[in-house]
Amino acid sequence: MKKRDALWFLMTVSIMTAQQRPKLVVGIVIDQMKMEYLYRFQNDFSESGFKRLMNEGYTFHNMHYNYMPTYTAPGHASIYTGTTPAIHGIVSNEWFHRTLKKEVYCTDDESVTTLVPGTEKEGKMSPKNLQSTTITDELKLATNFKGKVIGLSIKDRGAILPAGHFADWAFWYTKTGEFISSSFYGNQLPGWVDEFNKEKQYLSYLNSGWSLLKPIEAYNESLPDANNYEGKLYKKPAVFPYDLKEMYNGNDAGVLRVTPFGNDVLANLAKRAIEKEGLGKDDITDFLAVSFSSTDYIGHTFGPRSIEIQDTYLRLDLTIADFLNYLDKTVGKGNYLVFMTADHACAENSTHLKDHKYEVDNINYKDVAKDLTAFSEQTFGVNLLLKYDSYNVHLDKEAIKAKGLHLGEVKQRFKDFLYTKDYVKRVYTEEEILTSGQNDMLLKFIFKGYDPTQNGDLYFVYKPGFVEYSATGATHGSPYAYDTNVPLIFYGWHIKKGESHQKKVITQIAPTLAQKLKVTLPNGTDSEVLEEVLGK
């Protein structure tokens, strides 16, 4: 081989090797984002944020969650593991654990300590309850732990679960206004995080207050300001402008969470992480997992038809536009891969629907537990309810045995009672769930979200439109499309422009990334992929 040909061969091999993976993968999860927001608010978006992703990337319009409950922690875990709670073990945000017989929070870890004094309760966190590997874990293994993985969020669970077991760092926000981490990741915070915390960026946002980004006439896709379906913000009426400084003085820096500016501060931290950690600076792929949580806090408080949620998304659009421009300048166009999705969507406010003659309602979970207890005492002469928790009915097996009752008969009596409630659609026993047939859509959702060592003896599903929440704001958790349909957009490295309206499921994201990055599949994944984005 001639010297020139040999040189050309080596250069070609080098280029091909360098192109096997992007320099940086950025996973963006937007907490409580409905796919419908990208349609409803589209006319008011800039050309450089959500529209850039949709116009230049590949959009999956019909992406869904395939289990229940559709909550934040299982959502983030399912995106990154490629499997459902039945396998990865994160069955809710917090839940009554039937084996341990106590409440469990998804990222609690008493064996670790916080790295920031004064945040002990908020800092004792790790991914130890996550039972399967994540795509971020597999990237660490594939690069012999040379590729960096960092998770960032306002919520601890939004940072920790995506970052996985082998992450370099996960950082989350606290009521002190600082981003913290735990001893699971290191002995002390990196210097750049300390510097970021000392800047107290939250103060400038809170001191400025929250006014509308655009003239109020632009918000004609939402209900009027101060409508009856909105909750109060720190006991203040739901009407613009908001005096955030007053709220902060009466509370703490946690106020930032329930404003659009929590997203801005998080994006600033993400840019600082890229700069200070040198993410995307070499040919060893790094991964930055960013979860925007303020959308969820605002959605819960004000609901999906509020001006507050629309203003939040218009501002987030600008934040994402700025972040994409930053990636262009620091990592380089074509060198980074972005995917953007959500951990769940949300239901409409049931009072709003009821006022328009749809016979639905909001249910207080305390009333559910009270009714179950009263039924048990009236029927069996004793309370056999150990705990009601997020659709799960836990029975007191010791009390059942002591009364000489048959467990199967007790379950059937409770099941029959629940069917007398006008809000109940289906009730299933543990036995029915674990031997589920494929013809019952609701049962399939429960099966994929059910862990027999953690969940209840019975599990029930509300009828469509009924929610377990207050009369104002909104919530999520059901197997219905209003909670399961979320956006998914791939953008950047080796992604062609396009769109799909075929139904896809959230557990396809992680194995798709594994195939695209040429790394091992996460160990619990269903392994179904999105072929539309696997080509170059």
Side-chain angles (χ1 to χ4, degrees):
M1 183 181 294
K2 294 182 180 179
K3 184 176 182 181
R4 186 177 62 180
D5 292 338
L7 181 61
W8 176 256
F9 175 77
L10 290 173
M11 288 175 62
T12 302
V13 171
S14 177
I15 292 171
M16 290 177 62
T17 301
Q19 291 179 340
Q20 291 301 303
R21 297 180 186 141
K23 292 179 179 292
L24 176 65
V25 180
V26 180
I28 298 175
V29 178
I30 302 176
D31 207 321
Q32 200 188 117
M33 185 177 186
K34 297 160 69 76
M35 181 67 203
E36 180 256 352
Y37 290 155
L38 289 177
Y39 310 142
R40 179 154 46 112
F41 305 145
Q42 187 175 54
N43 290 339
D44 296 313
F45 287 146
S46 71
E47 296 297 322
S48 306
F50 291 124
K51 284 185 179 179
R52 175 180 172 182
L53 292 174
M54 293 184 76
N55 292 337
E56 299 178 22
Y58 198 99
T59 303
F60 293 91
H61 295 265
N62 202 15
M63 172 59 65
H64 287 265
Y65 278 84
N66 54 346
Y67 63 85
M68 71 174 293
T70 40
Y71 292 149
T72 295
H76 282 79
S78 298
I79 291 167
Y80 280 85
T81 62
T83 189
T84 65
I87 302 298
H88 62 59
I90 304 298
V91 297
S92 188
N93 293 333
E94 53 188 338
W95 62 93
F96 183 80
H97 194 300
R98 69 187 285 183
T99 304
L100 301 177
K101 294 185 178 179
K102 69 174 186 178
E103 292 287 336
V104 172
Y105 179 68
C106 57
T107 53
D108 266 346
D109 188 348
E110 287 298 319
S111 71
V112 301
T113 57
T114 183
L115 300 185
V116 178
T119 63
E120 282 71 22
K121 186 176 181 180
E122 297 175 280
K124 296 171 73 66
M125 304 284 170
S126 84
K128 77 166 189 175
N129 293 324
L130 182 63
Q131 296 174 16
S132 16
T133 63
T134 59
I135 181 59
T136 46
D137 287 331
E138 298 300 341
L139 180 63
K140 291 292 287 188
L141 291 168
T143 61
N144 290 322
F145 290 80
K146 294 176 182 177
K148 290 185 177 180
V149 170
I150 295 176
L152 308 173
S153 182
I154 294 293
K155 294 181 180 180
D156 47 49
R157 53 190 181 269
I160 292 169
L161 298 172
H165 303 86
F166 307 140
D168 296 271
W169 286 103
F171 303 107
W172 55 97
Y173 187 76
T174 74
K175 61 184 179 181
T176 66
E178 299 166 291
F179 282 89
I180 67 171
S181 193
S182 77
S183 58
F184 178 85
Y185 302 98
N187 296 323
Q188 62 182 25
L189 285 182
W192 64 268
V193 180
D194 275 328
E195 292 174 6
F196 188 90
N197 285 337
K198 289 175 183 176
E199 294 172 11
K200 297 185 176 181
Q201 291 190 13
Y202 66 91
L203 281 178
S204 62
Y205 290 105
L206 296 179
N207 287 337
S208 298
W210 182 9
S211 299
L212 289 174
L213 178 68
K214 296 188 175 188
I216 195 165
E217 294 77 18
Y219 296 83
N220 56 355
E221 294 86 2
S222 303
L223 294 176
D225 201 13
N227 62 73
N228 294 331
Y229 313 115
E230 300 176 312
K232 292 184 177 181
L233 185 59
Y234 289 91
K235 300 181 179 180
K236 301 296 181 182
V239 59
F240 282 98
Y242 290 96
D243 187 342
L244 301 179
K245 184 177 181 180
E246 179 184 357
M247 295 177 191
Y248 167 63
N249 290 336
N251 296 277
D252 53 48
V255 170
L256 186 77
R257 295 183 174 114
V258 201
T259 76
F261 312 116
N263 296 329
D264 292 321
V265 174
L266 185 72
N268 292 341
L269 183 69
K271 290 188 285 187
R272 192 72 59 90
I274 291 170
E275 175 192 354
K276 297 299 183 180
E277 293 288 340
L279 302 182
K281 292 298 184 184
D282 56 31
D283 290 334
I284 301 175
T285 302
D286 300 315
F287 202 120
L288 180 65
V290 182
S291 176
F292 291 105
S293 309
S294 290
T295 43
D296 183 68
Y297 289 109
I298 294 166
H300 277 297
T301 304
F302 300 104
R305 299 289 164 179
S306 65
I307 287 179
E308 284 81 359
I309 200 70
Q310 182 171 356
D311 193 66
T312 297
Y313 276 93
L314 298 190
R315 292 177 180 276
L316 180 57
D317 173 64
L318 298 178
T319 301
I320 288 176
D322 176 72
F323 187 57
L324 292 174
N325 288 335
Y326 180 83
L327 290 172
D328 289 342
K329 294 175 182 177
T330 56
V331 184
K333 288 185 177 181
N335 290 327
Y336 62 88
L337 172 65
V338 171
F339 72 89
M340 188 198 80
T341 189
D343 56 348
H344 52 75
C346 75
E348 296 287 347
N349 176 274
S350 59
T351 309
H352 182 218
L353 299 180
K354 185 165 59 174
D355 286 349
H356 287 79
K357 301 181 181 181
Y358 183 9
E359 291 299 319
V360 295
D361 208 348
N362 55 287
I363 310 299
N364 189 320
Y365 78 94
K366 292 182 180 179
D367 290 339
V368 177
K370 189 185 302 181
D371 288 349
L372 288 168
T373 299
F375 160 76
S376 182
E377 291 175 345
Q378 186 176 26
T379 304
F380 304 106
V382 64
N383 180 21
L384 300 179
L385 179 69
L386 183 61
K387 182 77 173 180
Y388 169 68
D389 177 62
S390 295
Y391 320 115
N392 288 266
V393 178
H394 296 266
L395 298 176
D396 189 336
K397 295 182 177 63
E398 293 180 5
I400 292 172
K401 184 177 181 181
K403 287 283 290 184
L405 299 169
H406 186 272
L407 179 59
E409 293 178 2
V410 172
K411 288 182 182 180
Q412 186 61 46
R413 296 292 291 275
F414 269 89
K415 181 177 178 178
D416 292 341
F417 170 72
L418 282 168
Y419 270 125
T420 68
K421 297 296 181 180
D422 62 359
Y423 54 80
V424 171
K425 183 65 176 177
R426 293 283 192 276
V427 187
Y428 303 100
T429 65
E430 175 187 1
E431 293 77 13
E432 289 169 328
I433 295 168
L434 295 179
T435 57
S436 67
Q438 294 301 306
N439 295 323
D440 188 328
M441 182 196 81
L442 296 178
L443 187 51
K444 286 193 289 185
F445 271 77
I446 293 173
F447 175 76
K448 287 179 176 292
Y450 186 87
D451 183 336
T453 67
Q454 302 187 82
N455 286 103
D457 298 283
L458 294 100
Y459 200 111
F460 73 86
V461 184
Y462 284 90
K463 290 178 181 176
F466 285 83
V467 296
E468 195 172 278
Y469 204 59
S470 63
T472 58
T475 193
H476 47 86
S478 81
Y480 301 118
Y482 51 75
D483 281 338
T484 65
N485 185 204
V486 297
L488 174 63
I489 305 174
F490 278 85
Y491 172 86
W493 182 83
H494 290 181
I495 299 295
K496 293 181 179 180
K497 175 183 176 180
E499 61 181 343
S500 169
H501 291 274
Q502 291 185 338
K503 183 181 179 181
K504 308 291 183 181
V505 292
I506 208 74
T507 49
Q508 292 177 281
I509 295 175
T512 298
L513 286 168
Q515 296 280 288
K516 200 159 186 67
L517 299 177
K518 296 180 172 58
V519 302
T520 303
L521 294 165
N523 61 16
T525 185
D526 296 339
S527 301
E528 293 182 358
V529 298
L530 303 164
E531 294 185 5
E532 296 89 338
V533 295
L534 285 179
K536 291 187 178 180

